[in-house]
Amino acid sequence: MATGTEEPTLTVDELAARAGVTVRTVRFYSTRGLLPPPVIGPRRVGHYGRDHLARLALIEELQHQGMTLAAIERYLEQLPPDLSARDLAIHRALVASWAPDKAEDMTRAELERRAGRALTEPDLDLLTAMAMLERPEAGGDAFRVDPGLLRLGVELLDVPIAHETILAAHTVLLEHTRSAAQELTRLFRDEVWSPYRERESDPEHVTAMKSLSAHMQPMVVQALVTAFQRSLKEELRAAFTAQ
């Protein structure tokens, strides 16, 4: 698979297999403009890369959240145009954090096929420590895997940082995102939900408010990711300028 500035190398069949969708789905998203066009190679064969795979995973996750294609189009239009595959993977991982667990059982061979690479024992240890997969139980051969988080985890395997540092960063992110989620939930409960319940007793209105809260989640996630990215850039710029 392409990395860095290398040309995209995945065919549409390989892209679909890596993403766990059908070729027909890939083509449908492309016709809707949700996926950028492939790079056309020799013999007019289209080739896809990491950005296509990450964007496809995000689209699938947004659909899983119940968003319509029109809503997904608006969501993607609001994203900065220069987001990398890693940025898109972070968006997808945070969006997925609102959804119920949907891990899949995979054999080692299927896991490596979805990862697009062979996985060493240290690789599996790191992915397990980050709760991106669970090893088979004694006597079993099935890994419990979140396909979306797997993509982000595989990206992290190639980051030239010690695994201990990655795990420490993972712990920091979990602590602060959980704190943000708790504060946002408290704010919605106290300022929106409670006053609404006091005014409205109609069960249909209550159902509508619950639906509103579910549809707000992807927007809140996007705002959270954007704010975090800006803050991180500012902190890194300040840290390295001070050196």
Side-chain angles (χ1 to χ4, degrees):
M1 183 173 181
T3 57
T5 58
E6 296 175 9
E7 291 296 320
T9 59
L10 297 175
T11 66
V12 66
D13 296 277
E14 291 169 334
L15 175 69
R18 289 283 297 275
V21 300
T22 65
V23 171
R24 183 178 180 181
T25 296
V26 174
R27 297 195 189 283
F28 174 71
Y29 289 156
S30 297
T31 60
R32 291 294 298 253
L34 299 177
L35 283 177
V39 174
I40 305 301
R43 294 180 291 181
R44 305 294 300 170
V45 175
H47 290 91
Y48 300 81
R50 296 168 62 190
D51 290 353
H52 293 94
L53 183 61
R55 185 169 287 262
L56 182 56
L58 179 56
I59 293 168
E60 285 289 295
E61 187 58 52
L62 292 171
Q63 264 208 320
H64 177 73
Q65 292 285 346
M67 292 181 68
T68 64
L69 286 175
I72 293 173
E73 288 174 358
R74 291 194 296 270
Y75 182 98
L76 295 178
E77 286 171 358
Q78 293 171 8
L79 295 178
D82 58 347
L83 283 185
S84 68
R86 190 163 296 153
D87 291 329
L88 289 168
I90 292 172
H91 270 271
R92 189 268 162 200
L94 288 175
V95 170
S97 69
W98 296 97
D101 293 337
K102 55 169 188 173
E104 299 178 13
D105 290 330
M106 300 182 188
T107 64
R108 177 73 172 263
E110 173 64 10
L111 172 61
E112 293 185 338
R113 185 183 72 81
R114 295 289 287 272
R117 59 185 287 175
L119 297 172
T120 65
E121 288 303 312
D123 291 341
L124 294 174
D125 288 340
L126 179 61
L127 294 173
T128 301
M130 291 190 293
M132 294 178 176
L133 62 78
E134 296 177 12
R135 287 179 174 272
E137 297 181 357
D141 63 353
F143 290 81
R144 193 72 173 160
V145 184
D146 183 311
L149 292 181
L150 174 64
R151 298 183 187 99
L152 178 59
V154 171
E155 291 277 351
L156 289 173
L157 294 178
D158 292 327
V159 174
I161 299 176
H163 286 181
E164 291 77 8
T165 303
I166 292 176
L167 290 176
H170 178 256
T171 299
V172 170
L173 286 172
L174 280 181
E175 290 176 352
H176 287 278
T177 52
R178 184 175 293 112
S179 176
Q182 290 171 345
E183 286 299 309
L184 288 170
T185 300
R186 181 196 61 76
L187 183 64
F188 184 85
R189 182 193 65 216
D190 296 346
E191 303 298 329
V192 180
W193 175 247
S194 293
Y196 186 89
R197 290 194 66 183
E198 291 174 1
R199 296 193 305 268
E200 302 286 349
S201 58
D202 188 339
E204 291 186 3
H205 287 268
V206 174
T207 300
M209 180 56 67
K210 290 181 178 179
S211 176
L212 171 63
S213 125
H215 282 83
M216 283 178 58
Q217 290 171 355
M219 292 184 286
V220 172
V221 169
Q222 184 171 340
L224 179 62
V225 173
T226 301
F228 174 74
Q229 288 176 325
R230 289 176 179 171
S231 297
L232 183 59
K233 287 180 181 178
E234 292 172 2
E235 290 297 324
L236 289 173
R237 186 183 301 114
F240 287 103
T241 300
Q243 296 296 322

